[in-house]
Amino acid sequence: MIRFKSPLPYLIFCCFFVSLPSPGNDAIEDPTLEPPQEQPQEQPTEQDSGQVSKPPPEMAPLNRGRKDWPENPKVFLIPVRQTIFHPQLFLIRRGVRQAREAKADAIILLMDTPGGSVDIMRKMVNPIIDIDIPTYTLVEDQAISAGAIIAMATDYIYMTPRSTIGDAMPVVMGQGGYTELGEAEREKIESYMDAIVRSIAQAKGRDEMLIRAMVRREIEYILEDGTVISEVGQLLTLTSQEAARILPDGTPLLAEGIVDDLDDMLNRIGLGEAERIELIPSMADDLALLITKIAPLLMMLAMVLFYMEIQSPGIGWAGGLGLTFFVIVVFGHNVAGLAGMEDLVFIALGMILILVEVLILPGFGIAGLSGMALMIIGLARAMTLRYPGTPGDLPGLVNVENIGPAVTNISLAIIGSVVCMGFVMKSMQEKGVLGGKLVLANTLGTSSQDTAMTSLQSLLNHSGTAVTPLTPSGTVRIADTEYDAVSEGDYIDSGSSVTVVDIRNRRLIVTNYQESLA
């Protein structure tokens, strides 16, 4: 045995021995030694912890569509079961308005559509995306293209088994089918659609990339766990199972759940016993489309007929037909989801004030101008859509849609009516197209007409009294006989002295007696 006289060598030897790496250290690899085996960690046993360890359970989905509904709730059902074009737009506008009037607690879109027009889709989204009533979509079979975007504009989506949603890439239709677009043109329309779906996703708190993957083929959609839902080069279309997939935070990928039918969905959200009000499509929606397209022509005819009635009070049918045309215009826009009864009240009050101005009050003053203003306001309101402001607008603001077409239609009607009124004035002369056809005289025989005309001619330069106000038409009395007359100048009040200055269209043309002397 080696002994050291001094303790210093012992200390050096010990320090050196301690500093040597162990066989398991990576600093020294001895090929003669086997790598150390990793010892498995002991799992807690029932004796150690008092319970058997289990993997964490999958988080249950959040039932976000269920609310604390009031007593005796109402649910309003709007079918979206057609291609997205004007009749479907009219239906959803009317449904939203009627749901508000009925004080519905929820609105449900019953959806089965292959898509349709992008412009119509955007107009359908506007009334529902910011409404203060909870909105739901039940995808009964398919919500494709524009239908998918409309569904995602509602608060909650439910799907029936084997239903699908997605595939919202915009396309351009030509006479022979889809039109091939260049790269720049394709990017232009896809960028527009991309912005639309992003704004909807932001408004509803949805995953922007999920919705964008339905629009753009170059977007790959991958879940946090690495699951690829949509690969590059493919448009995203989800089955009901995929759309209702539960994410780690307990929220669904897109759909709140899979339900068998409407009854199942209503029970799921707590509205199983709610009163159901369903909007039923009808031929009136197709008729409304025609009326809204020819509205300028109908309004122009109505204005011309009113003018004819004012110029020839004995006609009768002209005023009634003009009123009918106005009612048809309001009816068409009412079915289209634009006009309400208040708009018809505006128009009716306007016509009454104009008639008061023409037939009762002298001149053309406050009543006439107010009547014209009320009519224009009523027609403009009947052709525009008003709905709550979108996110970012100041509180209380109201968005007005379709104001451009409304102004255009009214302007065309006014311009056209002025032109037609000039033609009517010329035609109503005695030798004009309408001369003699709007008065009772044409029912007389030739000899009787000649006798009547001779009798009227004998009244030239005779004086009489206005029995009614002449505005400009009215009645005058000459030698104890009453005649239809038209004022050549301004308004003539009843009781004023008049002088016959001409005979036109078998009616007396009179002027104020004082003016005739001058």
Side-chain angles (χ1 to χ4, degrees), residues 181-485:
L181 299 175
E183 183 178 349
E185 290 83 0
R186 166 59 56 190
E187 175 59 26
K188 183 178 180 65
I189 63 172
E190 285 190 4
S191 175
Y192 172 70
M193 181 66 78
D194 196 339
I196 292 176
V197 298
R198 289 201 316 271
S199 67
I200 292 174
Q202 292 163 7
K204 291 300 180 181
R206 301 193 185 278
D207 187 342
E208 291 185 36
M209 294 304 296
L210 174 72
I211 304 180
R212 293 184 67 204
M214 297 180 180
V215 176
R216 291 184 176 271
R217 288 174 293 182
E218 63 269 21
I219 293 180
E220 182 180 45
Y221 188 75
I222 307 176
L223 298 180
E224 293 181 359
D225 62 2
T227 303
V228 178
I229 300 295
S230 178
E231 298 178 352
V232 174
Q234 296 180 351
L235 289 172
L236 176 60
T237 302
L238 298 172
T239 66
S240 56
Q241 293 286 344
E242 293 167 341
R245 177 174 181 151
I246 304 302
L247 301 178
D249 62 355
T251 60
L253 181 64
L254 180 61
E256 304 297 328
I258 301 174
V259 295
D260 294 331
D261 50 26
L262 177 62
D263 292 337
D264 189 12
M265 173 187 165
L266 292 176
N267 288 327
R268 183 84 62 91
I269 63 177
L271 289 173
E273 302 299 324
E275 177 187 352
R276 303 182 192 183
I277 307 172
E278 183 171 1
L279 187 63
I280 305 298
S282 65
M283 291 182 62
D285 297 291
D286 297 319
L287 179 61
L289 175 59
L290 174 62
I291 293 174
T292 54
K293 287 185 178 297
I294 64 172
L297 176 62
L298 294 175
M299 289 188 294
M300 180 191 73
L301 292 175
M303 293 177 186
V304 172
L305 288 168
F306 269 111
Y307 174 77
M308 291 173 58
E309 181 65 34
I310 292 172
Q311 289 296 315
S312 302
I315 300 178
W317 59 265
L321 189 57
L323 178 61
T324 301
F325 283 153
F326 273 127
V327 172
I328 290 174
V329 170
V330 176
F331 165 78
H333 287 83
N334 178 271
V335 173
L338 298 174
M341 288 302 299
E342 66 277 8
D343 305 320
L344 184 58
V345 170
F346 272 105
I347 296 173
L349 286 176
M351 289 190 292
I352 291 173
L353 286 175
I354 291 176
L355 291 175
V356 167
E357 180 69 39
V358 171
L359 301 176
I360 299 176
L361 300 177
F364 197 83
I366 296 177
L369 294 176
S370 300
M372 291 180 62
L374 285 175
M375 283 192 65
I376 293 174
I377 291 173
L379 290 170
R381 285 174 55 90
M383 297 180 187
T384 54
L385 176 66
R386 297 166 296 280
Y387 52 89
T390 53
D393 289 339
L394 294 176
L397 281 186
V398 173
N399 289 331
V400 179
E401 184 180 296
N402 210 44
I403 187 66
V407 173
T408 301
N409 288 347
I410 294 174
S411 301
L412 290 175
I414 293 175
I415 293 172
S417 63
V418 170
V419 174
C420 290
M421 285 175 190
F423 171 77
V424 169
M425 288 180 63
K426 185 175 180 180
S427 298
M428 288 181 67
Q429 301 298 324
E430 183 175 351
K431 296 183 180 181
V433 176
L434 299 178
K437 294 183 179 181
L438 299 180
V439 293
L440 186 61
N442 72 332
T443 61
L444 301 175
T446 304
S447 59
S448 300
Q449 292 182 27
D450 293 340
T451 302
M453 192 64 186
T454 302
S455 175
L456 292 177
Q457 291 287 351
S458 66
L459 298 177
L460 278 173
N461 299 320
H462 280 59
S463 298
T465 304
V467 178
T468 65
L470 274 67
T471 60
S473 300
T475 303
V476 298
R477 181 183 292 109
I478 300 175
D480 297 329
T481 303
E482 294 185 355
Y483 300 89
D484 290 335

